[in-house]
């Protein structure tokens, strides 16, 4: 079931600060991949990172969103260097933070959600 789009135009600054989880849930439920051209998962990762930067502090939803986007981007063939660039960090740091999630997505039984 799709989540109804919040009426962002009528929100106050306080709404954006206190309703971060609602924003992330809407973002997560939207069919981005069906609407993106080109290497969709790389664009999706970029959007997830930008969305997280709009909230005061990362949430579980936003962290999971980014981890999922990193996994999809890696499956699509995006390099750790490019993922690090999109995350605003180095390739080594991106792989350190999300490598376990990528391996878990590919069939490992370890937990892959970064902290």
């Amino acid at each position: 079931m799709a989540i109804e789009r919040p009426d962002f135009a009528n929100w106050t600054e306080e709404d954006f600060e206190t309703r971060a989880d609602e924003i992330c849930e809407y973002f997560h439920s939207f069919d981005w991949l069906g609407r993106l051209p080109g290497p969709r998962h790389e664009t999706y990762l970029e959007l997830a990172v930008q969305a997280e930067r709009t909230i005061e502090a990362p949430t579980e939803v936003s962290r999971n969103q980014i981890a999922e986007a990193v996994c999809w981007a890696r499956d699509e063939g995006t390099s750790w260097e490019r993922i690090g660039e999109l995350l605003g960090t180095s390739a080594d740091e991106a792989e350190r933070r999300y490598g376990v999630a990528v391996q878990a997505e590919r069939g490992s039984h370890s937990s892959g959600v970064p902290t």
Side-chain angles (χ1 to χ4, degrees), residues 7-20 23 54:
D7 187 10
F8 298 123
N10 292 320
W11 281 19
T12 65
E13 186 174 325
E14 184 177 315
D15 286 330
F16 281 101
E17 291 174 5
T18 60
R19 298 171 77 179
I23 295 168
T54 66

Side-chain angles (χ1 to χ4, degrees), residues 100-101 103-105 107-113:
V100 172
Q103 290 305 316
E105 183 71 20
S108 172
H109 296 292
S110 6
S111 171
V113 178

